[in-house]
Amino acid sequence: MTAVESVELSVGSLLLRPPSVAEAADALAMLRDPLTALWNPASRVVDEATAAAWCASLGDWGPGDHATFSVLDAATERLLGNVSVHNVDREQGTAEIGYRVAPWARGRGVGTAAVRAVSDWAFGGLGLHRIQLFHAVANPASCRVATVAGYRWEGTLRESTSYGDGLRHDEHLHARLVGDAVSE
């Protein structure tokens, strides 16, 4: 698989770049948040050392199967969340996208702006045709991010994934194609 060349993206007051171990404390705080732990857990991250290792692994785009961006406040460089394009299949031109928004950044459009920017980059930079997005039906905030970021709802997958509570949840499948218009 071809490595993904790391990039930085600027979107308004946001800076998106590959994760850095310098973000470990904020990453740990984000991952310990009850909503993050429920809907987007990282169970191996239990302390600052494992958070640093997690950041380092996400920042390594060499394998070519993902490109993960830390979403930072451009002025302070405080971690506000992350967005990952993963399960990249360049032959088929497909991938999945996922995201987390730190509790101190929720309700400000951070997730939507970051998902739009990373999606636009992935269509051009990775040559993708289709990006899929999955979220638990019981997570309406994630559904709003998906919809406003231009991802059309395609259906419900029944009891498709076990989340941080250990229960199987129905998921919505959203997708965006390279030519889809995204309203502002």
Side-chain angles (χ1 to χ4, degrees):
M1 187 164 284
T2 306
V4 177
E5 186 176 329
S6 66
V7 298
E8 287 189 1
L9 307 172
S10 292
V11 183
S13 63
L14 304 176
L15 172 65
L16 287 73
R17 68 176 184 216
S20 160
V21 296
E23 299 153 11
D26 277 344
L28 180 61
M30 175 178 68
L31 295 170
R32 283 186 171 166
D33 167 64
L35 283 177
T36 303
L38 173 59
W39 300 125
N40 207 328
S43 58
R44 295 185 316 244
V45 179
V46 296
D47 56 24
E48 200 162 325
T50 54
W54 182 76
C55 289
S57 70
L58 294 178
D60 178 8
W61 297 4
D65 61 345
H66 80 97
T68 300
F69 291 84
S70 284
V71 181
L72 307 167
D73 179 293
T76 65
E77 295 196 10
R78 179 158 195 210
L79 182 69
L80 303 177
N82 67 2
V83 176
S84 179
V85 177
H86 54 278
N87 293 333
V88 175
D89 182 337
R90 291 193 182 177
E91 186 174 310
Q92 289 296 316
T94 61
E96 296 176 22
I97 194 165
Y99 42 92
R100 295 176 180 90
V101 177
W104 53 88
R106 291 185 186 137
R108 300 183 354 211
V110 168
T112 301
V115 168
R116 278 183 177 174
V118 171
S119 300
D120 292 345
W121 168 81
F123 286 126
L126 298 178
L128 298 180
H129 178 76
R130 176 186 170 89
I131 303 174
Q132 298 186 142
L133 184 158
F134 300 90
H135 69 82
V137 171
N139 184 353
S142 196
C143 195
R144 282 190 301 277
V145 168
T147 302
V148 177
Y151 282 78
R152 296 181 188 173
W153 180 73
E154 293 189 340
T156 301
L157 306 168
R158 297 179 313 133
E159 296 184 8
S160 59
T161 299
S162 177
Y163 280 89
D165 59 5
L167 302 174
R168 297 199 72 80
H169 288 266
D170 293 353
E171 286 187 306
H172 279 167
L173 165 61
H174 295 255
R176 188 170 151 194
L177 303 179
V178 67
D180 285 349
V182 179
S183 61
E184 294 299 317

